[in-house]
Amino acid sequence: MQRTNFGDMACSIARTLDVIGEPWSPLILRDIWVGMSRFDQLQADLGISRKVLTERLNHLVEQGVIDRHPYDNRPRYEYRLTPKGTELVDLLMVMTAWGDKWLSGQAGPPVLYRHHACGEISHVDLRCAHCGEPMHAGDIDPLPGPGSAVA
Amino acid sequence: MQRTNFGDMACSIARTLDVIGEPWSPLILRDIWVGMSRFDQLQADLGISRKVLTERLNHLVEQGVIDRHPYDNRPRYEYRLTPKGTELVDLLMVMTAWGDKWLSGQAGPPVLYRHHACGEISHVDLRCAHCGEPMHAGDIDPLPGPGSAVA
DNA sequence: ACGCTGAAGTTCCCTTAGGGAACCCCAATG
DNA sequence: CATTGGGGTTCCCTAAGGGAACTTCAGCGT
């Protein structure tokens, strides 16, 4: 498919897509996050082809978002999130919140999240890391940064 | 490619991917968000093939995240985010924050965001919508919800 | 010692989606 | 009445996903 390479663009969204933008990758991360760590588990749960699962896992390991851990003194491996990968779960939680709100329909959300700190069923909300006020589409102005191509 | 249909899975992440998970879709939303609203602008800015851009725009319109607005009394159209699409920008902001942190390298972030409320250059942080405390990968327990397949 | 099993890939073929470039339609303009 | 420019559509080619069979290797049971 001679797919365009997003990683070279001067855009953090495009670069992030280069890491987890391929089909299945976010779902693989989701499964690893909830403790489904082995090849055959992932393959069976997702219904992904073994070939593509191999490719995705290798890519995610190369990008440093997951690690291969040998277990059982045999050629067996478990995949686990690295710190870099664990922070990607933020992305999954936002996708969950949006999907729950806009795509769940009558049935309601398929999965609920209980927040440890307050014990309530809840979802994520975006806040400014600096002042703590809400931060959404209309609340910001984009400016060229130091890594901008146009200098 | 007989791609697997994510929209039928009992998972809000998979369903969200069904809306914006295809290659280019998040970048198209990004451009529309910052005011790049016309077909040829998008095509030139992204370097996407016209065929695929047509397919993506149609899909995004069908999914209700963007609208086609005629202008100039001619068959000319502008694409704009709907409320549903505007809330997807949350996802883009989280991708930006992660990419800025992990993929920017020496050069620093290509784009900076100034937050209207405080006037500072900042980025998003995830908080619990209920109690306002931080909400990240380790702070929650997933539970089966009403829309779960396993009842 | 020897075959069996099960995890983790690998290989092969087929179909389909993305890239690129040329082509088309249509309303206003000169 | 030909030109222009936005907004697509069509065609061909290549590459990526799906599916299923095959491989490898360590331990286990007998």
Side-chain angles (χ1 to χ4, degrees), chain A residues 1-149:
Chain A
M1 235 182 270
Q2 85 216 74
R3 184 112 103 240
T4 306
N5 185 0
F6 294 152
D8 294 340
M9 296 181 180
C11 170
S12 284
I13 297 170
R15 290 173 185 161
T16 300
L17 288 173
D18 199 48
V19 175
I20 46 138
E22 287 166 299
W24 295 107
S25 291
L27 298 179
I28 293 169
L29 283 188
R30 175 204 65 182
D31 274 13
I32 295 177
W33 172 42
V34 300
M36 201 166 295
S37 54
R38 301 178 187 177
F39 190 94
D40 277 22
Q41 284 182 314
L42 292 166
Q43 198 272 321
D45 182 63
L46 295 172
I48 185 177
S49 99
R50 305 177 75 79
K51 183 180 85 160
V52 175
L53 179 56
T54 302
E55 289 169 10
R56 292 297 177 274
L57 288 171
N58 287 339
H59 184 242
L60 293 170
V61 169
E62 274 168 32
Q63 296 293 325
V65 300
I66 60 174
D67 266 350
R68 280 162 59 104
H69 291 264
Y71 71 96
D72 206 23
N73 291 342
R74 278 189 279 184
R76 302 293 147 87
Y77 304 98
E78 285 181 340
Y79 295 93
R80 298 190 207 152
L81 296 178
T82 62
K84 187 174 174 181
T86 301
E87 291 190 21
L88 268 180
V89 173
D90 282 7
L91 196 53
L92 303 183
M93 294 197 294
V94 173
M95 293 176 73
T96 301
W98 189 87
D100 283 353
K101 173 167 179 179
W102 293 99
L103 307 174
S104 289
Q106 293 290 336
V111 176
L112 301 173
Y113 293 151
R114 176 163 24 231
H115 188 215
H116 291 169
C118 63
E120 299 291 327
I121 302 298
S122 184
H123 55 87
V124 290
D125 187 32
L126 268 60
R127 298 269 165 171
C128 172
H130 188 266
C131 70
E133 292 299 305
M135 191 163 171
H136 298 286
D139 301 327
I140 63 172
D141 287 321
L143 310 169
S148 157

Side-chain angles (χ1 to χ4, degrees), chain B:
Chain B
M1 232 181 264
Q2 85 217 72
R3 185 110 104 240
T4 305
N5 185 359
F6 294 154
D8 293 340
M9 296 179 179
C11 170
S12 285
I13 297 169
R15 291 173 185 162
T16 300
L17 287 173
D18 199 49
V19 175
I20 47 138
E22 288 167 300
W24 294 109
S25 291
L27 299 179
I28 292 169
L29 283 188
R30 174 203 66 184
D31 274 13
I32 295 177
W33 173 41
V34 299
M36 201 166 294
S37 53
R38 301 178 187 179
F39 189 94
D40 276 23
Q41 285 182 314
L42 292 166
Q43 197 271 321
D45 183 64
L46 295 171
I48 186 178
S49 98
R50 306 175 73 78
K51 182 179 87 160
V52 175
L53 180 55
T54 302
E55 288 169 10
R56 292 298 177 273
L57 288 172
N58 287 340
H59 184 241
L60 293 171
V61 169
E62 275 168 30
Q63 296 293 323
V65 301
I66 60 175
D67 266 348
R68 280 162 60 103
H69 290 265
Y71 71 97
D72 206 22
N73 290 343
R74 279 189 280 185
R76 300 294 146 84
Y77 304 98
E78 286 181 339
Y79 295 93
R80 299 192 206 148
L81 297 178
T82 62
K84 186 173 175 181
T86 302
E87 291 189 22
L88 268 180
V89 173
D90 282 8
L91 197 55
L92 302 183
M93 294 197 294
V94 173
M95 293 177 74
T96 302
W98 190 86
D100 283 353
K101 171 166 181 181
W102 293 99
L103 307 173
S104 288
Q106 293 289 333
V111 176
L112 301 174
Y113 293 150
R114 178 166 20 234
H115 188 216
H116 291 169
C118 64
E120 299 291 327
I121 301 299
S122 184
H123 55 87
V124 290
D125 188 29
L126 268 60
R127 298 267 164 174
C128 171
H130 188 265
C131 69
E133 292 300 303
M135 192 162 171
H136 298 287
D139 301 326
I140 64 172
D141 287 320
L143 311 171
S148 157
V150 293

